[in-house]
Amino acid sequence: MPVSKNAVLPILAASLMVDGESCINNCPKLSDVYACIKITESTGSVAFFENDSLCVIYKDSNITQVPEELCRAMRSSVLYLAPLLYRKGRVTISLPGGCNIGNRPVDIHLAGLEKLGAKVEISDGKITVSALQGLKGTQIKLRVPSVGATQTLIMAAATAKGLTVLKNCAREPEVVDLVRFLNLAGAKIAGAGRNEIIIQGVQSLAGVSYTPVADRIVAATLLAAVNACKGVCIINNYPAEYMQQFENLLKQTGLGIVHYSDSAMVYKYAHVKNNINVHTGFYPAFSTDMGPLLSGAMVNNKGALNICETVFENRFSYCSEFEKLGIKCSVNDRCYTQNGYKNHSEDATLKAQDLRAGAALVVAALAKQGCCEIEGVEFIDRGYEKIEEVFSALGADIRRIQLD
Ligand code: UD1
């Protein structure tokens, strides 16, 4: 299992706060990672792969602006606000882009930075944040437990003067991982994984070598594929601690899982008919990123699946594509329903419209008869390193077609 993309990206941004060289071990070579490397380099610092480790060396420069096209390319560009504010006292980014899964404002990031003493200006689609005298610790209650905003405010408070108390924080494993990295680098942060995080600011951070947590969403993709296609798969470096909910749902539909050491053996023994109902939500509720994969997992099951989405507005872009495969599915407001097949279409051309929807299409396509062509592979490449090689190794006939 690769390490988690969603853990790597904030750690990569936070590496700019660290003096000397900082390395992220087993770093996946994903397009989102390369996009962040470009942001790091655009600010005058150095980022390079040394075998499987991605290393960053902060270099002083007078660049305070991240180019617009890099910000528009990915949502995680917003994670550079706090590190660059610490280094330069002033930073300008463009309103960030990213996967089209819904309206993704950054107001909680900005409101928190303001509370820490920063000045925030927004004009012409650009955000400028300044704090020439540095930030000052305070108490902040996040409006909703946003993962990214929690990470921004942890980074900002890590080197602010005095004590910061963050309330209503995101509790996702990727938040915990950022804190582990920062604490190893010399930060003083307590409470990660709980909704209140307490941070005593320090003056500086020192370079470390860090291995992030394994990717729970990639793990869910493999479980989904076994559930949909049958067979057996052994997953090493398996993040069992974070997989319980997804495992429990698929166990109800006939998936077997044996854990041993840091591995899991996953096998499908029958398509057991059971209805599944889930609401997505903030951790520890069911992950919004796992919803599309649960849909992929269930394509060959007889029971009905209902997913109600509470985090993003537009998570079900795969529904229209599943229909092309003959799958009986529909979206009503924020809820998605799926229940077996209407008919079994043969060949189909499907369009990935965001990262996890794209992965769900791969799973569904592997599970059906006939040949599928999936367009929009660039979305899938954001979060999966050579997905075709992973599934080929599991016996799938899957190839990447280069279109000129
Ligand atoms: C991260 C993950 C993404 C996952 C999401 C929710 C990364 C790189 N991405 O995204 O895969 O789907 O968490 O688990 O880690 N919100 C605001 N204002 C803000 C910030 C967020 O209203 O300033 C809202 C969002 O619109 C959304 C909700 O809060 O409705 C959660 O978003 P957030 O947790 O911030 O998601 P990301 O950190 O962008």
Side-chain angles (χ1 to χ4, degrees):
M1 280 293 306
V3 302
S4 160
K5 164 185 90 77
N6 287 354
V8 165
L9 301 184
I11 292 173
L12 188 46
S15 299
L16 288 181
M17 300 177 69
V18 164
D19 295 334
E21 181 175 299
S22 211
C23 294
I24 302 172
N25 303 321
N26 302 337
C27 185
K29 296 185 172 90
L30 304 168
S31 62
D32 266 9
V33 170
Y34 286 113
C36 273
I37 289 175
K38 278 193 186 153
I39 297 179
T40 297
E41 290 174 338
S42 76
T43 65
S45 289
V46 177
F48 55 94
F49 269 102
E50 208 166 66
N51 300 318
D52 286 336
S53 294
L54 174 57
C55 300
V56 174
I57 303 173
Y58 173 76
K59 301 268 185 201
D60 212 6
S61 79
N62 49 17
I63 303 166
T64 59
Q65 184 153 351
V66 179
E68 182 174 346
E69 68 276 13
L70 300 183
C71 297
R72 298 250 181 255
M74 69 178 322
R75 165 89 181 164
S76 292
S77 51
V78 72
L79 295 173
Y80 281 76
L81 276 179
L84 293 174
L85 192 59
Y86 163 63
R87 286 301 193 182
K88 298 167 192 294
R90 178 186 171 89
V91 50
T92 301
I93 66 166
S94 298
L95 283 166
C99 263
N100 181 29
I101 52 177
N103 183 24
R104 300 177 83 176
V106 292
D107 59 303
I108 307 172
H109 301 246
L110 301 181
L113 290 173
E114 269 182 330
K115 268 211 105 182
L116 285 162
K119 186 171 165 215
V120 176
E121 293 155 277
I122 304 176
S123 83
D124 291 340
K126 289 199 162 66
I127 305 167
T128 298
V129 182
S130 52
L132 296 176
Q133 308 306 319
L135 299 172
K136 200 158 170 284
T138 185
Q139 183 163 310
I140 300 168
K141 183 168 182 206
L142 280 73
R143 180 171 59 75
V144 295
S146 149
V147 174
T150 302
Q151 292 166 332
T152 287
L153 299 179
I154 287 171
M155 289 188 275
T159 51
K161 288 188 197 84
L163 193 76
T164 299
V165 179
L166 301 177
K167 292 177 183 276
N168 198 26
C169 292
R171 298 164 60 188
E172 269 72 358
E174 296 78 17
V175 170
V176 177
D177 225 36
L178 172 66
V179 168
R180 282 200 189 116
F181 167 81
L182 288 170
N183 279 346
L184 206 61
K188 293 186 176 159
I189 305 169
R194 299 204 290 269
N195 52 27
E196 182 170 298
I197 297 180
I198 300 173
I199 303 157
Q200 175 65 51
V202 297
Q203 278 191 340
S204 62
L205 299 167
V208 290
S209 161
Y210 186 73
T211 307
V213 65
D215 197 316
R216 61 196 170 108
I217 315 296
V218 174
T221 309
L222 293 172
L223 263 56
V226 175
N227 201 62
C229 308
K230 297 198 174 159
V232 182
C233 174
I234 292 172
I235 309 174
N236 296 326
N237 190 25
Y238 179 75
E241 196 186 336
Y242 305 119
M243 297 303 297
Q244 265 179 4
Q245 247 179 340
F246 198 75
E247 286 182 1
N248 288 341
L249 292 172
L250 293 191
K251 278 180 186 168
Q252 294 173 45
T253 74
L255 191 73
I257 300 167
V258 180
H259 298 121
Y260 53 97
S261 178
D262 71 344
S263 303
M265 184 176 72
V266 186
Y267 57 97
K268 181 77 173 173
Y269 57 88
H271 284 304
V272 176
K273 183 171 178 180
N274 247 325
N275 296 337
I276 301 286
N277 293 298
V278 286
H279 281 72
T280 66
F282 298 106
Y283 193 86
F286 184 78
S287 155
T288 170
D289 286 350
M290 290 189 188
L293 304 169
L294 184 60
S295 307
M298 291 280 288
V299 289
N300 282 336
N301 269 82
K302 303 247 165 2
L305 168 66
N306 289 295
I307 303 175
C308 286
E309 170 65 37
T310 71
V311 182
F312 293 111
E313 305 86 41
N314 186 22
R315 268 257 84 140
F316 303 123
S317 65
Y318 55 90
C319 180
S320 55
E321 310 306 296
F322 272 23
E323 280 181 321
K324 293 181 193 164
L325 297 176
I327 295 166
K328 212 191 296 171
C329 55
S330 60
V331 178
N332 188 355
D333 195 14
R334 291 270 197 117
C335 293
Y336 169 85
T337 308
Q338 175 181 318
N339 195 353
Y341 283 88
K342 274 194 286 224
N343 53 61
H344 283 273
S345 67
E346 283 300 312
D347 300 351
T349 299
L350 311 175
K351 195 169 171 47
Q353 290 167 60
D354 68 71
L355 164 55
R356 304 304 168 188
L361 296 185
V362 172
V363 171
L366 291 173
K368 79 178 278 293
Q369 302 284 317
C371 179
C372 287
E373 203 169 297
I374 300 176
E375 297 171 348
V377 180
E378 66 277 12
F379 287 109
I380 301 172
D381 288 339
R382 299 181 75 142
Y384 297 85
E385 190 175 349
K386 297 185 183 151
I387 196 167
E388 69 279 17
E389 289 185 11
V390 175
F391 284 119
S392 290
L394 287 168
D397 181 1
I398 173 170
R399 274 161 279 168
R400 182 179 294 254
I401 305 165
Q402 296 293 354
L403 298 176
D404 297 323

